[in-house]
Amino acid sequence: MLSYALKKFFYGLAVMLGVLSIVFILFNVLPGDPARMTMGQRSDVQSLEAVRKEFGLDKSRPVQFFLYLNDLSPLSIHSNTAENQAKYHYLKLLPVGNEVVVLKWPYLRRSYQTKREVSTILRETVPNTFVLALSAMIFATVIGVFLGVVSAVHKDTWIDKAANSFAILGISAPSFFAGIIIAWLFGFVWSDYTGLNMSGSLYSYDPFKGEVMTLKNLWLPMITLGLRPLAIIVQLTRSAMLDVLAQDYIRTARAKGLSRNAIIYKHALRNALNPVITAISGWFAGLLAGSFFVEYIFGYNGLGKTTVTALEMSDFPVVMGSILFIAFIFVLINILVDILYGVVDPRVKLAE
């Protein structure tokens, strides 16, 4: 089991390195000068050169890549200076000439625009995105399972057809299109009845109370983000329920005179939830990544909105930090799921 887990760990490292390489290459072929975006279009040559030197933009592309990789790596080599000690907060392991091998947290550098640490920006925005993704997943699961059960119980009726039509619509509509329609209808046209706004973040500033949580700003992005997984959960639940309801033990339960609700919710639903639970575990990481445009549409201050804004401003460290964080979540969840499968079913390890 240990060798299996280590193999998955190294696969994860290879994926992270691949993501880092691809995004670094793509970012460096995009138009725009980060130094000029930072200093403004009317900045002088000396100021631009100073900014490029400060952020290492004056070096060749391969050197920039390896320096960034050295900053990200927990085990890395740095000059043993007080400035580097304060910057990286490392633990010295082995001196190598004028350099030293150190152990540290991955360093994501500073924003070109705000000069703030990218790790600080992530700490401020990731919790908001996590709340949005978690609430969207709960919304999709509760409503999706309910509609799937109702659709299966009322097979081939207008209820079943309506639920299937809703599921097809939810899968077909892109999130950015659904977000615009939902924001316009519920946040503008019907705002007097819903009390909701077209845009707004989870936290807002009150002149008397300071920063307060504004839950009503969570509703519209939550519904938009949860539509696609909701539609898939409806179909999965319906299909699994139809299979279970056709089993012999369900007919036996009916013959014993058990109530309809007891048969559906106590016996059938519990055995039909396995594929739904598997889908939920895979969808959560996808929702974190899928929140990018949803947050931007609704002006929700999370990781997605921060990344899109940074991309517009050619703020490379923030974009890289956000993408690497999302990639890390994907890899971590996949590794944990693979290890769990290996524990539950030993044949998985034998097939590797």
Side-chain angles (χ1 to χ4, degrees):
M1 189 63 201
L2 179 60
S3 62
Y4 176 77
L6 287 175
K7 185 182 296 184
K8 293 298 179 183
F9 172 76
F10 284 113
Y11 283 163
L13 284 181
V15 170
M16 292 296 295
L17 182 59
V19 170
L20 171 62
S21 303
I22 292 172
V23 177
F24 186 91
I25 293 171
L26 288 176
F27 196 92
N28 280 283
V29 300
L30 291 176
D33 182 1
R36 191 170 293 279
M37 295 289 286
T38 302
M39 298 299 296
Q41 297 299 323
R42 297 184 178 181
S43 54
D44 56 84
V45 176
Q46 291 80 5
S47 299
L48 290 175
E49 291 301 325
V51 171
R52 292 191 181 102
K53 185 175 181 180
E54 178 185 0
F55 291 107
L57 300 173
D58 58 333
K59 298 179 174 60
S60 65
R61 296 287 189 257
V63 172
Q64 288 185 44
F65 177 78
F66 285 109
L67 288 177
Y68 190 78
L69 191 61
N70 189 58
D71 283 348
L72 284 178
S73 175
L75 193 65
S76 52
I77 300 176
H78 293 283
S79 299
N80 189 23
T81 63
E83 181 182 355
N84 279 347
Q85 177 68 52
K87 181 179 179 181
Y88 298 109
H89 304 287
Y90 55 68
L91 176 65
K92 291 183 285 187
L93 297 180
L94 180 66
V96 181
N98 295 326
E99 311 290 325
V100 60
V101 178
V102 303
L103 183 66
K104 61 174 177 54
W105 287 105
Y107 180 62
L108 298 172
R109 298 190 172 181
R110 292 187 301 151
S111 165
Y112 291 160
Q113 300 298 321
T114 64
K115 306 295 180 68
R116 300 175 65 208
E117 298 285 344
V118 173
S119 57
T120 302
I121 296 174
L122 293 182
R123 281 197 298 269
E124 292 175 354
T125 56
V126 166
N128 293 346
T129 299
F130 183 83
V131 170
L132 175 60
L134 182 61
S135 59
M137 196 72 256
I138 294 173
F139 162 75
T141 302
V142 173
I143 304 299
V145 169
F146 174 76
L147 291 179
V149 170
V150 171
S151 178
V153 171
H154 298 87
K155 182 185 176 185
D156 295 330
T157 66
W158 69 268
I159 297 177
D160 183 25
K161 293 176 182 178
N164 278 323
S165 299
F166 173 77
I168 293 172
L169 181 63
I171 294 174
S172 304
S175 295
F176 65 88
F177 175 75
I180 293 173
I181 298 300
I182 289 173
W184 180 69
L185 286 177
F186 295 95
F188 179 72
V189 177
W190 299 328
S191 61
D192 293 339
Y193 306 101
T194 62
L196 302 176
N197 302 317
M198 288 186 67
S199 63
S201 189
L202 182 61
Y203 291 92
S204 58
Y205 182 78
D206 185 281
F208 301 101
K209 299 179 181 178
E211 193 175 51
V212 295
M213 181 178 288
T214 312
L215 287 176
K216 71 175 185 178
N217 292 336
L218 182 65
W219 282 99
L220 296 184
M222 175 193 75
I223 293 171
T224 303
L225 192 61
L227 275 180
R228 187 177 292 268
L230 187 155
I232 292 177
I233 289 173
V234 169
Q235 293 186 327
L236 284 175
T237 306
R238 179 184 182 275
S239 177
M241 281 291 294
L242 289 176
D243 289 340
V244 171
L245 290 173
Q247 299 297 317
D248 292 337
Y249 73 90
I250 296 296
R251 287 192 287 268
T252 303
R254 290 197 183 102
K256 287 182 178 181
L258 293 180
S259 67
R260 185 186 184 189
N261 287 339
I263 292 172
I264 293 173
Y265 295 104
K266 186 176 180 180
H267 295 281
L269 181 58
R270 290 178 62 182
N271 293 310
L273 284 179
N274 286 338
V276 178
I277 294 173
T278 302
I280 291 171
S281 65
W283 264 103
F284 184 71
L287 289 180
L288 287 175
S291 66
F292 276 44
F293 292 107
V294 173
E295 290 181 0
Y296 192 75
I297 289 170
F298 290 97
Y300 184 89
N301 186 27
L303 182 63
K305 181 175 179 291
T306 300
T307 305
V308 175
T309 303
L311 187 59
E312 292 176 343
M313 303 298 293
S314 296
D315 201 343
F316 171 72
V318 177
V319 176
M320 284 295 294
S322 302
I323 293 175
L324 289 175
F325 175 78
I326 294 295
F328 172 76
I329 295 297
F330 266 102
V331 169
L332 180 63
I333 290 178
N334 280 312
I335 289 176
L336 293 177
V337 170
D338 286 343
I339 292 176
L340 182 60
Y341 282 158
V343 172
V344 174
D345 189 355
R347 293 174 297 177
V348 173
K349 290 179 289 185
L350 296 176
E352 289 292 320

